Amino acid sequence: MTTLVADLKFELLIDAETIKNRVDEIATHLNTEYAGKNPLFVGVLNGCFVFMADLVRQMQMPCEVSFTKVASYHGGLTTTWQLRNDLDLAVNIEGRDVVLLEDITDTGNTLTYLIADLKQRKPASIIVCALLSKPAAQLHHIPELKYVGFEIENKFVVGYGLDYKEMGRNLNGIYQLLD
Ligand code: 5GP
Ligand code: MG
């Protein structure tokens, strides 16, 4: 199945049912890992919003939700090396069990930057769940990256929260750029 997003053509890579099954699996792990705790889920905007909504609605422990925003892509297809903190966390995370939720990790620059920033605020623990990862693009090892939904090829993807030129976030599945 192909779809046009802005001026580019994409093909279906991961359908909605496959995503749902994988998100359910991650949710099961988190429900076990954080049973009896009160984790704080921190979403990295904008791309996290669909994944985060699906994941946190399956959490069975008392939990809180907050957001941060770091820009590394500025509407194009390739990463710029500059990171900008667009929105700071509105809560104190000292002593908290933080679960950082990211749509995709590519080079790992964004997560490396964010984790270093969050650690300075002295959380009790911090792990990362990323829906997608591109191992071939990875430049930084991220020990905190505990759950990855899917490892994908080093190709640009949209859908399920991820955009191309701010479009395509509403797609139910993950779509990959056609060569
Ligand atoms: P990194 O800092 O790991 O290189 O890139 C992470 C950020 O780049 C992600 O949070 C995401 O916003 C963006 N990104 C990386 N790969 C893709 C992709 O294939 N599609 C989209 N839409 N965004 C991507
Ligand atoms: Mg992102």
Side-chain angles (χ1 to χ4, degrees), residues 44-48 70 72 101-105 110 162 169:
V44 185
L45 291 171
N46 294 332
C48 74
V70 178
S72 67
L101 300 180
E102 175 63 304
D103 52 1
I104 184 166
T105 175
T110 306
L162 290 104
R169 296 192 194 274

Side-chain angles (χ1 to χ4, degrees), residues 72-73 79 102-110 134 155-158 162-163:
S72 67
Y73 265 68
T79 193
E102 175 63 304
D103 52 1
I104 184 166
T105 175
D106 185 3
T107 61
N109 280 337
T110 306
K134 294 178 179 172
K155 290 188 180 173
F156 192 80
V157 291
V158 295
L162 290 104
D163 76 303

Side-chain angles (χ1 to χ4, degrees), residues 28-102:
T28 301
H29 286 293
L30 291 173
N31 275 324
T32 304
E33 188 171 344
Y34 290 94
K37 295 188 174 174
N38 169 217
L40 171 68
F41 290 92
V42 175
V44 185
L45 291 171
N46 294 332
C48 74
F49 78 107
V50 180
F51 174 46
M52 187 168 193
D54 283 348
L55 191 70
V56 300
R57 282 181 295 168
Q58 297 197 51
M59 293 300 101
Q60 290 160 4
M61 76 298 280
C63 61
E64 289 157 57
V65 166
S66 193
F67 297 94
T68 186
K69 187 169 183 178
V70 178
S72 67
Y73 265 68
H74 302 286
L77 290 173
T78 53
T79 193
T80 69
W81 290 85
Q82 272 166 3
L83 292 175
R84 201 178 58 213
N85 205 334
D86 275 4
L87 175 76
D88 198 16
L89 259 184
V91 292
N92 180 3
I93 64 166
E94 190 173 341
R96 301 297 308 271
D97 293 308
V98 173
V99 181
L100 193 60
L101 300 180
E102 175 63 304

